[in-house]
Amino acid sequence: MRRLTTAAATLVLAGAGLAGTAGTAGATTGQAGKAPTATACSTVWGSGDKTARDSGSKPLKNITTGRHACYDRMVFDIGGATGKLGYHVGYVSAFHQDGSGDLIPVGGGAILQVYVNAPSYSPATGKPTYPGKAGQPLPGVNIAGYKTFKDTRFGASFEGQTQVGLGVRAKLPFRVLQSGDRLIVDVAHTW
């Protein structure tokens, strides 16, 4: 009986420890004034190219960003898209506009080029669905105060893809996720 009580107490304490750790893993900057623990920030994503060849997405509606405890996030809203979204994300030495090849300067220590298989216009009417202009910062996106993101530039919307240049502090690990009709690019603050 004593062994059973000791085992139960050990499980309760272990569970409490895990619950405390889980609470810091999802912490965002400014939450409860606490910085994340070193183990809470995973950097196993790598910095190599990431690609999904799926296509047939709806037009791009918006691009937003957010700051988190361990990474900065860029979200591509492809309203109404179903199924898997296609993309190609990778570091480049220079950012050239798709189609024309014109060089577009992007600030920061490294440039992450993002292609999303979604045009920024309606294929049926040709009318813009996202107001990006070649070589200009992304409209409505303010990255002042971000730890990793340093600059954003719209490249082009060419042959059904939208191209964005993301200036980051250094060549850092990143991941690409999909949540419903949104494509998410997270870039870690550190290795």
Side-chain angles (χ1 to χ4, degrees):
M1 183 70 158
R2 186 170 195 216
R3 281 187 189 171
L4 186 56
T5 304
T6 303
T10 302
L11 287 173
V12 168
L13 289 174
L18 288 174
T21 303
T24 60
T28 59
T29 305
Q31 259 188 341
K34 295 182 181 179
T37 62
T39 58
C41 294
S42 174
T43 57
V44 298
W45 308 333
S47 61
D49 292 0
K50 293 164 181 61
T51 301
R53 303 229 181 262
D54 303 294
S55 63
S57 293
K58 300 280 186 183
L60 176 68
K61 300 292 185 197
N62 198 16
I63 300 174
T64 58
T65 59
R67 293 184 292 172
H68 296 266
C70 300
Y71 53 86
D72 289 347
R73 171 171 281 183
M74 180 172 278
V75 179
F76 295 81
D77 180 4
I78 304 153
T82 58
K84 296 201 180 252
L85 300 172
Y87 59 85
H88 179 79
V89 183
Y91 285 102
V92 294
S93 58
F95 185 61
H96 294 274
Q97 182 182 15
D98 202 16
S100 73
D102 292 343
L103 177 66
I104 297 174
V106 180
I111 303 167
L112 193 60
Q113 180 169 253
V114 181
Y115 282 102
V116 180
N117 290 1
S120 64
Y121 56 86
S122 167
T125 66
K127 291 184 180 181
T129 59
Y130 178 75
K133 303 281 185 222
Q136 299 299 308
L138 299 179
V141 171
N142 180 358
I143 57 171
Y146 279 54
K147 188 169 183 177
T148 297
F149 292 175
K150 299 301 174 193
D151 194 10
T152 65
R153 296 291 161 171
F154 188 81
S157 191
F158 184 70
E159 295 184 351
Q161 293 185 27
T162 297
Q163 175 198 31
V164 169
L166 177 59
V168 295
R169 184 173 43 79
K171 190 174 180 179
L172 294 162
F174 69 94
R175 67 180 175 182
V176 181
L177 310 166
Q178 181 178 341
S179 178
D181 58 1
R182 289 178 170 81
L183 188 73
I184 300 165
V185 178
D186 293 333
V187 184
H189 293 320
T190 63
W191 273 99

